[in-house]
Amino acid sequence: MQRESGKTDAPERRRSVVWSVLAQPRWLSALSVLGALAAWWAITAFAVVPAVLLPTPGEVVSATIDILRNGYRETTLWQNVGSTLWRCGAGFFLAVLTGVPLGLAMGYWPPIRAATNYIVQFMRPLPPLSYVILLIIWIGTDDRSKIVLLYLTAFPIVASSAMAGVRAVSQQRVQAARALGASEWQVFRYVILPSAMPLSFTGARIALAAAFSTVVAAELNAATDGLGWMVISASRFLRNDVIILGIILLGVLGVALSAIVLAVDRRVVHWRGIE
Amino acid sequence: MIDQIAGGMSRRMFVKTVAISGAALTAGLPTRALLAAGKAPDTIRVSYFLETKPTMIAKGEGWFDKLSGGKCAWTEAGSGAEINAAFAGKSVDIGLAIGSSPTASGISQRLPYELVGMVDNIGPAEEMVVRKAANIKSVNDFKGKKVATPFGSTSHFRLLGFLKVNNLTQKDVTVLDMKPDAQVAAWTRGDIDAAYVWSPAKSKMLDSGGELFTTNKDLDAKGYVIADLIVAGTEFSKTYPDALTGFLVAYRNALKMWQTKPDEAASIVAKQAGVSAEVAKRDMEEYDFVTFEKQLTAEWLGPPGKAGKFAEVLKRTADFLVEQKSIKSAPDLAAFQNGINTTFLAQAVKAAG
Amino acid sequence: MIKRSEMAGHRRMPDWVVTGCSVALLIVAWVVATEGGFVDDLFMPSPSSLWAGFTDLVEDGYKSRTIWEHAGLSLERVLAGFVTGAVAGTVVGLAMGYNRVIEACLAPFVEFLRPLPQLAYLVLLIVWFGIGETAQIVLLFLTAFPVSAIAAMDGVKSVSRQRMQVARSLGASNWQIFRFVVFPSALPEIFTGARLAIGVVYATLIAAEIIAGSTGLGWVILDAGRFLRSDYVFVGILAIGLMGLVLDYMLVAIEHRIVHWAGKY
């Protein structure tokens, strides 16, 4: 249940020191990641798949060093990471800034829900790749069309989770607050909003992940930098070492981003699970 | 104040002149017309394909910027469709090395651009690779086989032409839409029997159990010519004719370099494309880089005001795309003839002398 | 759900009227913009050219297949990827939420996979699973899996600790606590996760159909987009969007039957 391993249970204390260290979540995680890396190494070392298709860990490391030193096709690695983060962050924050208020309003006021929900629900499952070409026609090839693509990916998720959050609020509480004489605004501010926060944050995490996973689609077209661009352009020349490096970087960045949102979530929604 | 601006301008002009002469010296070419450059754009928005071609020399060495007099803003395109979309959205001025089939569809859809030059005649550079083990010796052996190609590309156009010329339908042959990298992956697994594609995917497959099934000569003869082209927005070419001419001169210089100093050229291209110099050289050797003089003959684009045979190629391509239900309708030949404007190409040849 | 607003509702229009008005407004704006000549057909097709595109697709199909075949194949892929991914994800997520050793071992991979762009590892899937349906379904599975897993895990973690303590003090076994306290309490979030999962699976459909395409609605949109056939692209987007809506409503209906206590405890 709890992530914190501060409190050790009685039986655990009796086990060997080694085991108790290894049993800590972070060591277990590290071990399982190491296991995966070892599996990768073994797959390439024993040539389970052809070398053309899966590079060895060593090749990826040397590609990394090369790119850190000389850059990839006149872009530095930091520039690529930075551009990807900027596009993703801009799209995501715009989505949160507009999606959360709309979602809360949709959850609280049925007329707003009736007027807008079908649009949000229609947009939500639309594959971003289906309208990439339209965005280029409408907005052009610069960063704006990429940010809009990521925004459109994140927005419906943020809005529907915020709405679901409001709608999942315990009615007893709302009624209790009203019985105690709370105004409409007070009910919203002190009952609905705090109760809707956990789901809104879950939604934000998922939206960030969705936006991030669309970053390659966004950088597929008319990009000059970014990690997605790096992977795509490397794949045109079948540079598998660069592709794998890109995948690892994208994955690690994605984990870091969701860890940040989770940390914010913990701070802001500290009442999650202890209501 | 006015004096200051004027002073600043003339200094910039001076710097530019020096830069141009420098570039011309490297390429060993004169620069007469460029010094007379009139209005120059601040930035030229170029949508280009990252390829192992001399275009990358001119890009990498900054010749396009120097000779056009504007700063080139480069965006990499993944497909010709994307360049077309960018032109529709008016967010690009020049499309570099767009294939002939997307160009034919763009002209049919009345996109605001004109064809101002050729990068290359693709010829044998895009070709059918068949798996040796699949035992494909004749056209009829393709029946029941799986052939992959990136849809919407020039290769796709020629593959469909190949089927049509040989009275095969897509019921006889399974045609799969796959990007080159996906083709290599599927090839390695043995999931596809053949692929119509370009290098590096082509050479990778040839290296791992593939052989060529030559189609290009036959198809070229039957009118399924494919080429990579340079298109420019009509608004841009009207406003900045000299910049466009300069842009073409830059490419011409790069072509000259590839012809005179192939090793040096290959290493510059390799750096741009992120591949080794040997790979770049081998890839480039497969293309037929038609000289500007030849492009201006009736065989290809034709002299200014008198479109050459290539207009018919475009028309045939567009008709074929209509047949495939890819585009709604194709205009008549005149529209394609009007879509070709070789004024700048002729200027570029004249400028170089 | 919120009674006060319903109570205030005697003066306001019923929901369907509001929705209807909003739809009508959108359509009028569209008709005026396109038929009025304010927007080029390339940018956005007019209702008439959209209709023409639609009838064309229905009558002649798209590139050697009828439009129903394309839609059917897409639906099959989505359902296969979603069902396998959501079930596996939920099981793993519940385990991760309940047991911290499992969480510690699996969390890095789930967290790594979730935001990873599918397009980045598309080629690897072809290498491992070939160009048939398997690779496409695996891609959709990998998309649904982490979303469901994390939702289920969050669901377990947000279970009221008081309740678990109460159950434990009443002598419930671990399994009983899980079965009668944790699982029901986590269900609303599991369903939210399922809806999000079907959303992302759907959104990844085109990426999946890039793998050796020539079938499926996603591929139709992609292929039509290559030639700026905005009429076909819009028909495809509408079809895909509507299918997505129907699937979502089906999930909501199931949710209401099963999680009838949501918001009531």
Side-chain angles (χ1 to χ4, degrees):
Chain A
M1 272 303 290
Q2 293 144 291
R3 264 178 192 216
E4 296 77 23
S5 51
K7 290 174 281 175
T8 329
D9 296 327
E12 243 179 346
R13 216 175 291 146
R14 272 180 244 122
R15 289 181 201 150
S16 75
V17 181
V18 178
W19 174 247
S20 73
V21 168
L22 285 181
Q24 281 186 358
R26 78 178 74 128
W27 288 110
L28 276 172
S29 299
L31 264 185
S32 74
V33 170
L34 276 179
L37 288 177
W40 172 19
W41 175 82
I43 286 172
T44 50
F46 298 108
V48 181
V49 294
V52 206
L53 299 166
L54 190 64
T56 63
E59 280 168 351
V60 175
V61 170
S62 61
T64 314
I65 293 168
D66 180 48
I67 288 176
L68 280 174
R69 274 206 199 122
N70 309 318
Y72 178 73
R73 292 196 34 227
E74 302 179 337
T75 58
T76 64
L77 197 57
W78 309 122
Q79 180 190 347
N80 288 326
V81 171
S83 302
T84 295
L85 282 179
W86 151 246
R87 286 172 194 141
C88 196
F92 171 71
F93 279 113
L94 284 175
V96 169
L97 285 180
T98 53
V100 170
L102 180 70
L104 293 176
M106 275 162 55
Y108 199 58
W109 289 288
I112 295 183
R113 180 161 71 238
T116 51
N117 190 30
Y118 72 99
I119 301 177
V120 173
Q121 298 314 322
F122 179 84
M123 274 165 66
R124 198 157 61 97
L126 272 191
L129 282 173
S130 69
Y131 49 85
V132 163
I133 210 91
L134 294 175
L135 288 181
I136 295 179
I137 298 178
W138 291 339
I139 304 176
T141 49
D142 56 9
D143 257 7
R144 278 178 308 163
S145 63
K146 299 174 181 70
I147 291 171
V148 169
L149 183 81
L150 299 172
Y151 168 77
L152 290 177
T153 310
F155 172 79
I157 300 178
V158 173
S160 359
S161 324
M163 180 179 78
V166 175
R167 303 192 74 193
V169 171
S170 151
Q171 284 176 28
Q172 280 172 6
R173 288 212 203 163
V174 174
Q175 281 153 6
R178 281 197 185 123
L180 291 170
S183 70
E184 192 85 352
W185 167 248
Q186 283 172 324
V187 169
F188 184 77
R189 170 67 188 81
Y190 295 102
V191 180
I192 308 270
L193 200 56
S195 309
M197 284 303 258
L199 265 183
S200 301
F201 263 95
T202 308
R205 281 168 67 196
I206 290 165
L208 183 63
F212 197 78
S213 70
T214 312
V215 109
V216 175
E219 291 173 355
L220 191 62
N221 294 304
T224 45
D225 53 14
L227 283 177
W229 165 82
M230 191 176 98
V231 170
I232 294 295
S233 88
S235 77
R236 283 196 195 121
F237 288 90
L238 311 170
R239 286 283 308 269
N240 284 304
D241 44 354
V242 179
I243 298 176
I244 299 278
L245 169 65
I247 291 177
I248 294 173
L249 283 177
L250 281 168
V252 169
L253 263 189
V255 171
L257 284 180
S258 48
I260 292 170
V261 182
L262 190 67
V264 175
D265 183 352
R266 288 248 172 86
R267 276 198 90 90
V268 179
V269 203
H270 47 81
W271 59 87
R272 190 192 278 267
I274 44 172
E275 32 193 62
Chain B
M1 204 45 203
I2 292 165
D3 281 346
Q4 257 180 336
I5 292 170
M9 276 187 37
S10 64
R11 196 171 61 223
R12 209 163 60 210
M13 286 291 275
F14 174 73
V15 171
K16 196 163 45 180
T17 311
V18 171
I20 290 168
S21 330
L25 279 178
T26 350
L29 287 164
T31 55
R32 247 177 297 138
L34 299 153
L35 298 178
K39 214 168 17 164
D42 290 335
T43 49
I44 305 175
R45 298 165 301 171
V46 189
S47 193
Y48 76 106
F49 282 99
L50 175 73
E51 298 173 302
T52 40
K53 283 183 190 163
T55 46
M56 292 299 109
I57 306 173
K59 176 180 179 282
E61 302 289 279
W63 296 350
F64 281 130
D65 305 68
K66 282 174 198 155
L67 296 182
S68 65
K71 173 105 190 57
C72 291
W74 297 93
T75 33
E76 196 175 325
S79 64
E82 207 186 300
I83 296 185
N84 279 344
F87 270 108
K90 295 202 167 51
S91 56
V92 63
D93 299 315
I94 293 178
L96 186 58
I98 180 173
S100 46
S101 36
T103 307
S105 88
I107 293 177
S108 302
Q109 287 165 316
R110 297 191 165 66
L111 290 180
Y113 64 55
E114 53 192 8
L115 167 51
V116 297
M118 274 173 68
V119 173
D120 57 73
N121 165 30
I122 293 171
E126 295 182 13
E127 189 50 280
M128 183 96 77
V129 185
V130 295
R131 184 188 301 284
K132 281 182 195 149
N135 206 20
I136 298 173
K137 299 289 170 224
S138 75
V139 172
N140 278 328
D141 295 337
F142 276 97
K143 282 191 179 151
K145 296 289 195 292
K146 281 183 185 155
V147 187
T149 193
F151 277 23
S153 66
T154 40
S155 277
H156 183 218
F157 170 68
R158 215 151 56 172
L159 173 63
L160 296 179
F162 169 76
L163 297 182
K164 196 180 169 193
V165 164
N166 294 299
N167 294 319
L168 290 167
T169 68
Q170 290 189 50
K171 289 199 175 66
D172 303 320
V173 181
T174 312
V175 180
L176 295 165
D177 177 14
M178 294 174 82
K179 293 212 155 40
D181 51 334
Q183 291 177 17
V184 175
W187 178 274
T188 315
R189 282 177 54 86
D191 285 359
I192 52 174
D193 306 300
Y196 210 115
V197 73
W198 51 87
S199 281
K202 191 181 82 174
S203 39
K204 277 257 160 88
M205 289 187 249
L206 285 174
D207 290 346
S208 53
E211 59 188 348
L212 283 178
F213 185 95
T214 310
T215 63
N216 75 84
K217 290 206 183 82
D218 186 32
L219 288 173
D220 277 355
K222 295 208 163 84
Y224 290 94
V225 176
I226 50 175
D228 292 313
L229 310 166
I230 305 173
V231 294
T234 36
E235 217 168 279
F236 179 81
S237 64
K238 265 201 199 86
T239 324
Y240 304 110
D242 296 336
L244 184 53
T245 304
F247 191 88
L248 292 173
V249 172
Y251 178 53
R252 193 179 136 97
N253 291 355
L255 266 183
K256 280 268 155 65
M257 185 179 187
W258 162 240
Q259 277 147 5
T260 51
K261 288 177 262 179
D263 288 314
E264 201 182 317
S267 74
I268 298 172
V269 172
K271 204 176 146 227
Q272 287 282 311
V275 296
S276 73
E278 297 81 62
V279 170
K281 198 176 171 197
R282 194 183 57 186
D283 287 355
M284 280 202 283
E285 274 163 356
E286 293 196 326
Y287 287 92
D288 169 17
F289 295 105
V290 183
T291 62
F292 280 24
E293 287 80 0
K294 236 169 127 188
Q295 290 184 29
L296 285 164
T297 63
E299 190 65 25
W300 291 101
L301 303 180
K306 200 170 176 304
K309 274 189 190 164
F310 199 73
E312 290 158 35
V313 171
L314 288 175
K315 166 71 176 154
R316 213 171 301 131
T317 310
D319 286 342
F320 194 76
L321 292 173
V322 173
E323 224 173 274
Q324 292 291 318
K325 295 192 79 169
S326 292
I327 54 176
K328 269 188 208 164
S329 58
D332 55 10
L333 184 61
F336 294 99
Q337 287 169 333
N338 293 333
I340 299 176
N341 181 357
T342 47
T343 327
F344 312 102
L345 202 64
Q347 281 289 330
V349 171
K350 221 192 275 168
Chain C
M1 197 108 325
I2 285 138
K3 283 290 180 281
R4 178 67 166 269
S5 339
E6 310 284 352
M7 265 154 43
H10 60 90
R11 277 183 295 129
R12 96 189 147 73
M13 290 178 279
D15 284 357
W16 63 267
V17 176
V18 179
T19 307
C21 286
S22 157
V23 174
L25 205 69
L26 261 187
I27 291 179
V28 167
W30 174 37
V31 171
V32 169
T34 53
E35 303 283 4
F38 297 102
V39 180
D40 190 37
D41 209 44
L42 214 59
F43 281 57
M44 184 177 282
S46 61
S48 55
S49 82
L50 190 73
W51 179 250
F54 174 71
T55 48
D56 200 28
L57 281 177
V58 169
E59 278 162 21
D60 300 347
Y62 188 79
K63 304 206 172 162
S64 77
R65 267 198 168 73
T66 67
I67 198 69
W68 310 117
E69 281 177 272
H70 284 300
L73 282 166
S74 288
L75 191 63
E76 265 174 42
R77 288 168 192 150
V78 165
L79 286 179
F82 165 68
V83 171
T84 51
V87 169
T90 301
V91 170
V92 169
L94 287 175
M96 280 166 63
Y98 202 58
N99 183 312
R100 68 187 179 87
V101 173
I102 297 178
E103 185 196 346
C105 287
L106 296 182
F109 302 104
V110 174
E111 294 282 354
F112 184 85
L113 189 61
R114 188 163 58 123
L116 194 63
Q118 292 83 7
L119 285 176
Y121 58 83
L122 203 68
V123 173
L124 292 179
L125 289 185
I126 299 177
V127 173
W128 294 328
F129 301 101
I131 55 172
E133 294 289 309
T134 323
Q136 305 192 16
I137 292 168
V138 168
L139 183 82
L140 299 176
F141 169 88
L142 289 176
T143 309
F145 178 82
V147 173
S148 286
I150 287 181
M153 186 174 81
D154 282 352
V156 174
K157 291 196 168 186
S158 63
V159 171
S160 153
R161 282 171 211 161
Q162 281 174 3
R163 290 216 204 164
M164 290 175 62
Q165 279 153 9
V166 169
R168 190 157 287 152
S169 63
L170 290 172
S173 69
N174 266 348
W175 166 248
Q176 282 170 326
I177 291 175
F178 182 79
R179 169 69 189 82
F180 295 104
V181 179
V182 174
F183 185 67
S185 310
L187 258 183
E189 288 217 30
I190 289 175
F191 268 98
T192 311
R195 287 181 62 195
L196 289 168
I198 201 155
V200 293
V201 163
Y202 223 85
T204 315
L205 180 64
I206 295 197
E209 289 180 349
I210 284 180
I211 300 176
S214 70
T215 58
L217 274 183
W219 178 81
V220 170
I221 294 175
L222 202 70
D223 196 55
R226 286 193 189 113
F227 293 95
L228 308 184
R229 285 296 303 263
S230 48
D231 51 344
Y232 286 176
V233 171
F234 267 86
V235 171
I237 287 180
L238 282 175
I240 254 187
L242 288 176
M243 266 167 70
L245 270 183
V246 170
L247 286 177
D248 193 54
Y249 277 120
M250 279 161 60
L251 263 183
V252 174
I254 298 173
E255 182 180 2
H256 281 316
R257 278 198 87 94
I258 300 181
V259 204
H260 45 82
W261 63 86
K264 284 181 195 152
Y265 53 84

